Amino acid sequence: MTAYMNKLMERITEAAAAAFEAAGYDPCYAKVSISNRPDLCEYQCNGAMAAKKKYGKAPIQIAQDVVANLADNPLLEKAEAVMPGFINLTLAPAAAAAYLNEMAADENLSVEKAAQPKTIMIDYGGPNVAKPLHVGHLRSAIIGESIKRMGRRLGHRVIGDVHLGDWGLQMGLIIAELQDRQPDLPYFDEKITDGYPAEAPFTISELEEIYPSASARSKEDADFREKALQATAQLQAGRPGYRALWKHILDISVADLKKNYRRLNVDFDLWKGESDVQPIIPGMVESMKARGYAHEDQGALIVDISEDTDQKEVPPCIILKSDGAALYTTTDLATIVERMELFHPDEILYVVDKRQDMHFVQVFRCARKTGLVGEDTELNFLGFGTMNGKDGKPFKTREGGVMRLETLISDINQEMYRKIIENRSVRGEDAEQTAEMVGLSAIKYGDLSNQASKDYVFDLERFTSFEGNTGPYILYTIVRIKSILNRYAENKGSSAAGTGHEAVLPPVSAAEKKLMLQTARYNEALEGAFAEHAPHRLCAYIYELSNDFNTFYHETKILTEEDPKRQASWIALLMLVLRVLEDAIDVLGFEAPERM
Ligand code: ARG
């Protein structure tokens, strides 16, 4: 059975497979890839070399036999056998045009929806309540959002969960500090157990001042630290006044977080947090004990998870400390229990700083060993590197403090605004909005275009440049295409030629063909990027597409072309390139303005 194949590469592979078979060779050798010698050909197949052993023949002989069976294939313009046994392939111009016309007619741009959609949970964002968002949280939000969108674009059911850090010592610190400052508040009176004010006793800016000063104080003042620890324990034990205060802190923080994430074009389906799964912990721990997985060790409760093949020591998973307190690990395990119950996901993907690698090794092993997840659920960790400053150290403010996300965004937007005003393409309020849009592309593309696991340098100058491998360059390309299309439509008035539903004709120049082939690869690029959780691969694809477009544009006089059919074909090609670019940046999580 030959299934319908959307990808151009699959179709070429299928043609090669038929030729292998016709020549008496196993079609499994027919894998075709993009040529690594673009000066010689567009695609290549190295199967003849691989088949040498099985058939005891010189690879060049096999290659020649196969090529003889490709001569009449309408997909190909040229098929050559080259020493020592390469098969070099060049696509027929008409086949390239036909493929693009098919793609243009498909509202999904020939991107296939998953035949068996998966339920995938992505744990990303990971902000901590009452602490301002800082640049450390930026990468998780940007990368996670893009993977979520890719998955959805490919037809999966993807659920994003922000997984708030809302249960730790930071809560106790705020409560203790507040008690010192405003001891008369009803929350601190143990005789009062309900009917607390609906209004929080602080604003978000006050909260953002209270937490750091409490945190600093706890480092110097042992008594205060003790009070904060006690407050944390009492909160966790359910003291009503503290619970009520905690709820205020949560509500105010979450409202502020939502505002910040909205500015980043990031949104979550679930706003669950560490606190939500606390009720699950006792039962989970009991069951781990009862089934013999967890045992006591120096007062603590642990699960052994080391494996014989470990190169590096993997310490046991501590489930409860000797004082009976649950840990970060325990909370993550309980969260898995809840996620399995509510959604039974096929995959849970954690997008978290790679320095938490060992934590997730422990959580995953423990979850598998104790049967919290079955074999049909994948647990994956996408650990990202650090965003550094130009000095190669984690990004800081000029004063050396932790950089707030809001500050970073407004720095970028200011720089973008300056450039846009310099360009004189947009003015006034429009310029501000445009600066925000382009600024977001600068931040997100600057991040996503790097392999996630690597550290990268945040370079304001480079990220905001309209040239090179940057977000603004991609947007600039989109805006340029839009402007050509607009001018074409104006010239034509409302005549039929302007509809863009003309056919794309076979290419007449090398640059045009290159642009067409790159456009045709969109489905491959998107699927590949998602399969590897690698947004940087989609960035590399659109960068190359933009370059191919700009090269084509510089050598082609589109608007003054005299042959109306040729002109209409180019317009149709541009419309398709535009659709691909806009679809791709939407998946990456940003959008383009009309002008810039
Ligand atoms: N709140 C944590 C932090 O700021 C990140 C949470 C990551 N997600 C998780 N399931 N552990 O470090």
Side-chain angles (χ1 to χ4, degrees), residues 139-156:
R139 296 210 70 191
S140 180
I142 292 178
I143 298 168
E145 180 71 18
S146 146
I147 293 178
K148 181 185 80 182
R149 290 174 181 224
M150 280 192 221
R152 289 195 180 151
R153 179 71 177 82
L154 292 165
H156 297 290

Side-chain angles (χ1 to χ4, degrees), residues 15 21 34 101 123 140 145 204 213 219 266 283 285-286 326 331 374-375 416 507 534 562 589:
E21 207 162 18
I34 295 202
N101 286 317
D123 180 313
S140 180
E145 180 71 18
I204 182 70
S213 55
K219 285 182 189 115
V266 166
V285 170
E286 270 324 302
T331 302
E375 263 172 27
M416 254 10 288
E562 293 190 347

Side-chain angles (χ1 to χ4, degrees), residues 139-140 142-144 146-147 150 349-355 381-387 444-456 529 532-537 539:
R139 296 210 70 191
S140 180
I142 292 178
I143 298 168
S146 146
I147 293 178
M150 280 192 221
L349 175 68
Y350 296 81
V351 185
V352 183
D353 192 312
K354 71 176 175 197
R355 285 169 294 190
F381 174 58
L382 177 57
F384 52 81
T386 310
M387 180 173 126
K444 286 194 159 184
Y445 190 92
D447 188 303
L448 293 170
S449 56
N450 300 285
Q451 190 178 326
S453 62
K454 297 210 168 116
D455 298 349
Y456 73 94
E532 289 174 28
H533 299 143
H536 74 280
R537 292 195 39 189
C539 291

Side-chain angles (χ1 to χ4, degrees), residues 123-129 131 134 136-137 140 161-166 170 274 328-329 331-332 335 339 348-353 356 359-360 363 381:
D123 180 313
Y124 71 110
N128 299 311
V129 163
K131 301 188 196 174
H134 59 79
H137 293 113
S140 180
D161 182 4
V162 71
H163 198 71
L164 293 170
D166 59 357
Q170 81 262 31
E274 297 182 336
Y328 186 41
T329 314
T331 302
D332 262 324
T335 306
R339 287 177 179 165
I348 309 177
L349 175 68
Y350 296 81
V351 185
V352 183
D353 192 312
Q356 295 195 24
H359 166 75
F360 285 101
V363 169
F381 174 58

